[in-house]
Amino acid sequence: MNDIMKELLDIAKQASKNAYAPYSNFKVGAAVRASSGAIYSACNVENSSYSLTLCAERNAIFQAISKGERIITEIAIYVDSDKLFPPCGACRQVMAEFASDLPIVYASHNEVLESKLSDLLPQSFLLKND
Ligand code: THU
Protein backbone atom coordinates (compact mmCIF):
# COMPACT_ATOMS: atom_id res chain seq x y z
CA MET A 1 0.00 0.00 0.00
CA ASN A 2 1.37 3.45 -0.88
CA ASP A 3 1.70 6.32 1.60
CA ILE A 4 -1.46 8.16 0.57
CA MET A 5 -3.53 4.99 0.97
CA LYS A 6 -2.01 4.44 4.41
CA GLU A 7 -2.91 8.01 5.37
CA LEU A 8 -6.45 7.69 3.99
CA LEU A 9 -6.98 4.40 5.80
CA ASP A 10 -5.86 5.94 9.06
CA ILE A 11 -8.29 8.84 8.55
CA ALA A 12 -11.08 6.39 7.62
CA LYS A 13 -10.43 4.45 10.82
CA GLN A 14 -10.69 7.65 12.86
CA ALA A 15 -13.92 8.57 11.03
CA SER A 16 -15.47 5.18 11.86
CA LYS A 17 -15.35 6.17 15.54
CA ASN A 18 -18.05 8.76 14.83
CA ALA A 19 -20.36 6.26 13.14
CA TYR A 20 -23.99 6.61 14.14
CA ALA A 21 -25.01 2.97 13.88
CA PRO A 22 -27.30 2.14 16.81
CA TYR A 23 -29.40 -0.29 14.72
CA SER A 24 -26.78 -2.38 12.90
CA ASN A 25 -23.87 -1.65 15.24
CA PHE A 26 -21.79 -1.86 12.04
CA LYS A 27 -19.39 1.07 12.14
CA VAL A 28 -17.80 2.29 8.92
CA GLY A 29 -15.45 5.15 8.08
CA ALA A 30 -14.35 6.36 4.67
CA ALA A 31 -11.76 8.85 3.46
CA VAL A 32 -11.36 10.16 -0.06
CA ARG A 33 -8.71 12.30 -1.70
CA ALA A 34 -9.93 14.64 -4.41
CA SER A 35 -8.07 16.04 -7.42
CA SER A 36 -7.30 19.26 -5.47
CA GLY A 37 -5.34 17.12 -3.01
CA ALA A 38 -7.79 17.76 -0.19
CA ILE A 39 -8.98 14.85 1.93
CA TYR A 40 -12.57 14.37 3.09
CA SER A 41 -13.83 11.77 5.53
CA ALA A 42 -17.13 10.60 6.96
CA CYS A 43 -18.89 7.79 8.77
CA ASN A 44 -22.17 5.94 8.20
CA VAL A 45 -25.27 7.63 9.62
CA GLU A 46 -28.31 5.47 10.36
CA ASN A 47 -31.91 6.51 10.97
CA SER A 48 -34.99 5.11 12.73
CA SER A 49 -36.50 5.06 9.27
CA TYR A 50 -33.89 2.53 8.19
CA SER A 51 -33.83 3.24 4.46
CA LEU A 52 -32.66 6.80 5.11
CA THR A 53 -29.30 5.46 6.27
CA LEU A 54 -26.27 6.91 4.50
CA CYS A 55 -23.15 4.81 3.99
CA ALA A 56 -19.76 6.21 5.00
CA GLU A 57 -18.43 6.10 1.43
CA ARG A 58 -21.24 8.16 -0.07
CA ASN A 59 -21.15 10.53 2.88
CA ALA A 60 -17.41 11.19 2.32
CA ILE A 61 -17.82 11.59 -1.45
CA PHE A 62 -20.77 13.97 -1.03
CA GLN A 63 -18.75 16.07 1.40
CA ALA A 64 -16.04 16.42 -1.24
CA ILE A 65 -18.54 17.27 -3.98
CA SER A 66 -20.23 19.80 -1.70
CA LYS A 67 -16.92 21.59 -1.31
CA GLY A 68 -16.62 21.97 -5.08
CA GLU A 69 -14.59 18.86 -5.88
CA ARG A 70 -15.56 16.87 -8.98
CA ILE A 71 -12.88 14.16 -9.21
CA ILE A 72 -12.03 11.59 -6.56
CA THR A 73 -8.58 10.04 -6.90
CA GLU A 74 -8.48 7.46 -4.07
CA ILE A 75 -10.77 6.05 -1.40
CA ALA A 76 -10.09 4.08 1.77
CA ILE A 77 -12.78 2.34 3.79
CA TYR A 78 -12.53 0.92 7.28
CA VAL A 79 -15.09 -1.37 8.92
CA ASP A 80 -14.96 -1.96 12.65
CA SER A 81 -15.25 -5.72 12.24
CA ASP A 82 -13.19 -8.91 12.25
CA LYS A 83 -14.50 -9.62 8.76
CA LEU A 84 -13.66 -7.78 5.56
CA PHE A 85 -16.49 -6.12 3.58
CA PRO A 86 -16.22 -4.49 0.16
CA PRO A 87 -18.31 -1.33 -0.45
CA CYS A 88 -21.99 -1.75 -1.29
CA GLY A 89 -23.35 -1.46 -4.82
CA ALA A 90 -24.93 1.96 -4.29
CA CYS A 91 -21.59 3.40 -3.17
CA ARG A 92 -19.79 1.80 -6.11
CA GLN A 93 -22.21 3.53 -8.49
CA VAL A 94 -21.62 6.90 -6.79
CA MET A 95 -17.85 6.36 -6.97
CA ALA A 96 -18.17 5.76 -10.73
CA GLU A 97 -19.78 9.19 -11.16
CA PHE A 98 -16.69 10.97 -9.83
CA ALA A 99 -13.72 8.78 -10.78
CA SER A 100 -12.54 7.10 -13.96
CA ASP A 101 -10.96 4.04 -12.33
CA LEU A 102 -10.77 4.58 -8.63
CA PRO A 103 -8.13 2.83 -6.50
CA ILE A 104 -9.93 1.43 -3.44
CA VAL A 105 -8.53 0.11 -0.18
CA TYR A 106 -10.87 -1.57 2.26
CA ALA A 107 -9.94 -2.89 5.65
CA SER A 108 -11.24 -4.55 8.78
CA HIS A 109 -9.52 -5.14 12.13
CA ASN A 110 -6.86 -7.42 10.71
CA GLU A 111 -7.28 -7.57 6.93
CA VAL A 112 -6.64 -5.09 4.14
CA LEU A 113 -7.44 -5.42 0.44
CA GLU A 114 -6.50 -3.16 -2.44
CA SER A 115 -8.80 -3.09 -5.42
CA LYS A 116 -10.03 -0.92 -8.28
CA LEU A 117 -13.52 0.27 -9.08
CA SER A 118 -13.37 -1.36 -12.53
CA ASP A 119 -13.01 -4.74 -10.77
CA LEU A 120 -15.81 -4.07 -8.27
CA LEU A 121 -18.15 -2.41 -10.78
CA PRO A 122 -17.45 -3.36 -14.39
CA GLN A 123 -19.57 -1.69 -17.09
CA SER A 124 -20.92 1.01 -14.79
CA PHE A 125 -23.91 3.10 -15.86
CA LEU A 126 -22.86 6.67 -16.81
CA LEU A 127 -24.79 9.31 -18.72
CA LYS A 128 -21.96 11.85 -18.83
CA ASN A 129 -19.35 11.65 -21.58
CA ASP A 130 -16.22 13.03 -19.90
N1 THU B 1 -22.62 0.64 5.26
C1 THU B 1 -21.65 1.51 4.88
O1 THU B 1 -21.41 2.52 5.54
N2 THU B 1 -20.97 1.23 3.73
C2 THU B 1 -21.18 0.14 2.94
O2 THU B 1 -20.56 0.02 1.90
C3 THU B 1 -22.15 -0.86 3.34
C4 THU B 1 -22.96 -0.56 4.54
C5 THU B 1 -23.37 0.91 6.50
C6 THU B 1 -24.82 1.24 6.30
C7 THU B 1 -25.42 0.81 7.61
O3 THU B 1 -25.27 1.86 8.55
C8 THU B 1 -24.53 -0.34 8.08
O4 THU B 1 -23.33 -0.22 7.34
C9 THU B 1 -25.14 -1.72 7.87
O5 THU B 1 -25.57 -1.89 6.58
Side-chain angles (χ1 to χ4, degrees), residues 5 13 40 42 51 58-59 62 77 84 86 89 107 111 114 126 129:
M5 279 307 202
K13 189 173 182 177
Y40 304 85
S51 64
R58 274 176 294 149
N59 200 0
F62 292 157
I77 304 150
L84 198 58
E111 274 182 280
E114 290 192 79
L126 285 175
N129 298 312

Side-chain angles (χ1 to χ4, degrees), residues 53-105:
T53 291
L54 183 58
C55 292
E57 297 90 324
R58 274 176 294 149
N59 200 0
I61 292 168
F62 292 157
Q63 298 217 15
I65 300 309
S66 299
K67 293 292 182 194
E69 307 284 3
R70 288 297 179 266
I71 297 170
I72 301 302
T73 55
E74 294 94 1
I75 186 168
I77 304 150
Y78 179 82
V79 294
D80 183 10
S81 167
D82 289 336
K83 209 182 135 194
L84 198 58
F85 293 87
C88 82
C91 290
R92 295 179 200 193
Q93 176 64 26
V94 169
M95 289 174 202
E97 188 74 25
F98 301 111
S100 50
D101 190 12
L102 188 66
I104 301 173
V105 165

Side-chain angles (χ1 to χ4, degrees), residues 9-20:
L9 193 52
D10 196 49
I11 293 168
K13 189 173 182 177
Q14 288 303 316
S16 74
K17 293 180 181 158
N18 289 328
Y20 178 73

